[in-house]
Amino acid sequence: MTFVSRRTLLKSAAVLSAYGAGLAVMPRLSQALAATDPVEIEALTGDVLLDGKQATRGVMRYALSGQTSTDPSPPILRARRGEAFKARLINRLDEPTTIHWHGIRLPNDQDGVPFVTQPHVYTGDRFDYAFSPPDAGTFWYHPHCNTLTQMGRGLAGVLVVEDERDPVFDGEVVLNLRDFRLGGDSQFIEQFKPREAAKTGTFGTLRTANWRPEPHYDVPAGGLVRVRILAADVTRIYNLKLAGAEAQIIAIDGHPLLERIPLDMAVVSPGQRLDLAVRVADSEGVEMVLEDIRPSTPKVVARFRAVGASLKRNLGDLGSLAENAGVEADLSNATEIPLLLSATAETAARDSICGTLGYSFWAINKVPYPGDTPDPTAPIAELKLGRTYLLNVENVTPHAHPIHLHGMNFKAISSNKREVQPLVSDTYLVLPDEKVQLALVADNPGDWVFHCHIIEHQKTGMTGYFRVT
């Protein structure tokens, strides 16, 4: 087993990799890419073995052009903070698509939302994205067109933004967590049920990490391993515990914690990311198990096995992650914006080229988003560039909503349900009956979508956008 350190990875200007089961770090590195060369990402449809029984037809996946791999799961893209990153989407699906770069503060026309920031990318067409990520951390990429079907069938990958000032780990594991909705014959079944979309959302039947049920990864005994976790599922909220090893939460949603938190149980909702520093067991062959304990019976997410002689590292040896930009809010001059998350009984969403579920179950400020449509839709609010705003989010429903803001970050200020840490983030899980204040500095001009990341909720009305001018 060859372990690739972060320092080695950072020798490339923009490193891309794909990963396979049983490997703790990026085992196959592509050649370094010049800053002027785009990473070519193909969106494809094909047959993939997901449940270990027989191939599932109609799986949608991302692949790097010109690279062959036995691993069909989405490639991990790597970029460096502050350096040019270019990606060319080549659409080989039978329908339009786009790429949204979740959590990245980028120019508005690179955000990947049809009818809001860019045109669709039709079958056979391509679209070039270019930006310099200002923050380091764990982010991701996925479509924003016919989202439930395309994400539900596989289109969601991890984007890692590196910083050479970050501490060196002895290994790295990247986990892309998601369900697939398959029947007993290994084929896709209906992606959603209306009665479930009107509640918590429709859960998948096959639970995977990196498109495999309960994958295992070899990690260096006694070493410090960075585990990057993405909740790419369209519905599931995870309650994660790690048995057999000591671990600390070092970053949430890509942003470093000022004070690391020992991992007891971490809640990660759709759209969110969690970075762990794991101190691997010393004895070779010892297994560590990451579990989701949210169901009545805990489910194994992934297994880690210690290999080799102990490196005898200590979590106290680990230096700090490089800081990202904070949210420097001027609360004394903040403008408050009410945001009511509620159910609705409005008329059905209109059909469009980016698809609709045909229902409106949810709303923001009592207005359900009409679907992905070219018809004019008013913004939730118009924000002035550079001003501070307090988003007063109130969830009057009995269900949780992971609310995601495109293109900017916010910081939790207060909640009526729990003590909040002033963490910089782009996604916040709003609990039932919770009232939370999120501070936002309108520092990025454009139209920025704001929506629930339970995709059935997004597609049935709980969506809107802010206009920053």
Side-chain angles (χ1 to χ4, degrees), residues 170 220-225 278-281 310-313:
D170 302 304
L224 297 179
V225 173
V278 177
R279 202 287 184 175
V280 180
S310 176
L311 299 180
K312 299 182 179 179
R313 297 288 302 278

Side-chain angles (χ1 to χ4, degrees), residues 91 94-98 113-115 118-123 144-147 149-150 350-356 370-375 459:
N91 183 12
D94 292 330
E95 59 183 77
T97 191
T98 62
V113 183
F115 303 118
Q118 73 161 87
H120 321 92
V121 183
Y122 288 93
T123 302
H144 233 281
C145 183
N146 198 14
T147 322
T149 295
Q150 293 187 11
R350 296 188 295 275
D351 197 9
S352 80
I353 198 165
C354 269
T356 177
D372 299 316
T373 168
D375 293 344
K459 294 291 288 184

Side-chain angles (χ1 to χ4, degrees), residues 358-428:
Y359 301 89
S360 290
F361 294 133
W362 304 98
I364 297 177
N365 288 344
K366 299 184 179 180
V367 177
Y369 201 71
D372 299 316
T373 168
D375 293 344
T377 302
I380 297 172
E382 297 194 21
L383 314 183
K384 295 301 180 183
L385 192 64
R387 296 261 335 238
T388 295
Y389 295 87
L390 275 177
L391 309 182
N392 292 327
V393 184
E394 181 179 2
N395 180 9
V396 296
T397 82
H399 307 293
H401 300 286
I403 292 294
H404 169 52
L405 174 64
H406 289 212
M408 296 179 287
N409 292 324
F410 48 66
K411 181 168 60 177
I413 301 299
S414 66
S415 166
N416 68 330
K417 299 276 286 189
R418 49 183 159 164
E419 182 179 352
V420 297
Q421 294 184 334
L423 302 177
V424 174
S425 179
D426 54 77
T427 307
Y428 185 93

Side-chain angles (χ1 to χ4, degrees), residues 232-315:
D233 194 62
V234 298
T235 300
R236 187 175 300 280
I237 298 173
Y238 296 85
N239 288 9
L240 299 177
K241 291 181 72 75
L242 179 65
E246 184 182 3
Q248 293 178 343
I249 301 172
I250 60 174
I252 295 176
D253 294 340
H255 299 281
L257 301 187
L258 295 178
E259 295 186 10
R260 294 169 180 171
I261 303 172
L263 176 64
D264 177 22
M265 189 275 292
V267 178
V268 189
S269 63
Q272 293 190 300
R273 293 84 67 206
L274 186 73
D275 284 46
L276 304 177
V278 177
R279 202 287 184 175
V280 180
D282 287 297
S283 300
E284 184 166 21
V286 170
E287 186 177 78
M288 296 139 281
V289 181
L290 183 67
E291 290 184 309
D292 178 15
I293 64 168
R294 187 175 178 85
S296 56
T297 303
K299 301 293 185 181
V300 173
V301 173
R303 302 177 188 272
F304 309 100
R305 184 171 66 99
V307 298
S310 176
L311 299 180
K312 299 182 179 179
R313 297 288 302 278
N314 189 296
L315 282 169

Side-chain angles (χ1 to χ4, degrees), residues 331-350:
L331 298 181
S332 63
N333 292 301
T335 300
E336 298 190 16
I337 299 176
L339 293 167
L340 185 73
L341 309 182
S342 69
T344 183
E346 297 290 331
T347 56
R350 296 188 295 275

Side-chain angles (χ1 to χ4, degrees), residues 95 145-153 181 189-203 234-235 346-362 368-373 452-463:
E95 59 183 77
C145 183
N146 198 14
T147 322
L148 184 62
T149 295
Q150 293 187 11
M151 287 181 62
R153 290 188 173 227
R181 278 186 56 77
I189 57 177
E190 198 67 39
Q191 186 64 50
F192 84 104
K193 299 178 180 179
R195 66 179 180 273
E196 300 300 330
K199 296 186 290 187
T200 57
T202 308
F203 288 89
V234 298
T235 300
E346 297 290 331
T347 56
R350 296 188 295 275
D351 197 9
S352 80
I353 198 165
C354 269
T356 177
L357 303 191
Y359 301 89
S360 290
F361 294 133
W362 304 98
Y369 201 71
D372 299 316
T373 168
C452 179
H453 227 285
I454 292 175
I455 303 301
E456 287 159 278
H457 295 179
Q458 171 201 327
K459 294 291 288 184
T460 57
M462 195 170 281
T463 303

